[in-house]
Amino acid sequence: GQVASIPELANGILHVARAFGPVDAVIAHSVGCAAVGVALQRGMAVNRTVLIAPPARYADFACAFARQAGVDALALLAALRRRGIDMDSVDYPSMAPSLNSSALVIHSTDDQVVPFADGQEIAAAWPGAQFIACEGLGHRRILADSNVVSAALKFLTN
């Protein structure tokens, strides 16, 4: 397909995990973090999870995406609801306390796509989660930063 909702992405992740598992670790970025959270909530077993620039809530992320794409946010939310997507159920801070995985959340203070506060809120809600704040890496440059890569690898291998 050409489009997929966060719950549909989570189903894809679950299928891959079942086909190739067990999964020791997962690293996700942006909307992929939300999909991983839903997959974890639906029973995917993972020892360690690294989230880079994770959105806290589906509806907020969809609205921010719409604004950046020049699309009416309310129209996008309505279209998602017409597809039967329950955006309110994708709320990372509410899901996090029940997730059975060690977590590292990494977010840049200058992220213009997903608010820095989202990463902080998710890490605070996830028992035992570690949080790393970065500066000047934005939403995409964070993925190629050597310090971010090193921190993720250290978390995954310890």
Side-chain angles (χ1 to χ4, degrees), residues 1 21 28-29 38 40 51 63 72 95 105 107 118:
H29 174 251
V38 172
L40 288 168
L51 305 176
C63 288
D72 180 89
M95 295 185 306
V105 179
H107 214 127
D118 282 20

Side-chain angles (χ1 to χ4, degrees), residues 145-155:
D145 182 76
S146 62
N147 292 326
V148 170
V149 172
S150 293
L153 288 173
K154 182 179 177 183
F155 175 78

Side-chain angles (χ1 to χ4, degrees), residues 61-71 73 111-115 139-140:
F61 181 79
C63 288
F65 175 81
R67 283 190 298 276
Q68 289 183 356
V71 175
D111 190 325
Q112 298 297 308
V113 178
V114 176
H139 188 70
R140 290 175 186 82

Side-chain angles (χ1 to χ4, degrees), residues 86-109:
D86 178 10
M87 287 172 289
D88 296 329
S89 70
V90 183
D91 182 321
Y92 232 128
S94 295
M95 295 185 306
S98 67
L99 302 180
N100 294 321
S101 177
S102 297
L104 171 63
V105 179
I106 306 172
H107 214 127
S108 186
T109 58

Side-chain angles (χ1 to χ4, degrees), residues 134-146:
C134 304
E135 305 246 350
L137 298 177
H139 188 70
R140 290 175 186 82
R141 288 186 314 276
I142 195 169
L143 294 170
D145 182 76
S146 62

Side-chain angles (χ1 to χ4, degrees), residues 28-81:
H29 174 251
S30 192
V31 72
C33 297
V36 164
V38 172
L40 288 168
Q41 186 182 40
R42 291 180 180 172
M44 181 175 72
V46 174
N47 293 326
R48 295 182 184 269
T49 302
V50 177
L51 305 176
I52 302 172
R57 291 168 193 82
Y58 193 171
D60 294 343
F61 181 79
C63 288
F65 175 81
R67 283 190 298 276
Q68 289 183 356
V71 175
D72 180 89
L74 294 177
L76 177 61
L77 293 176
L80 290 167
R81 286 191 179 98

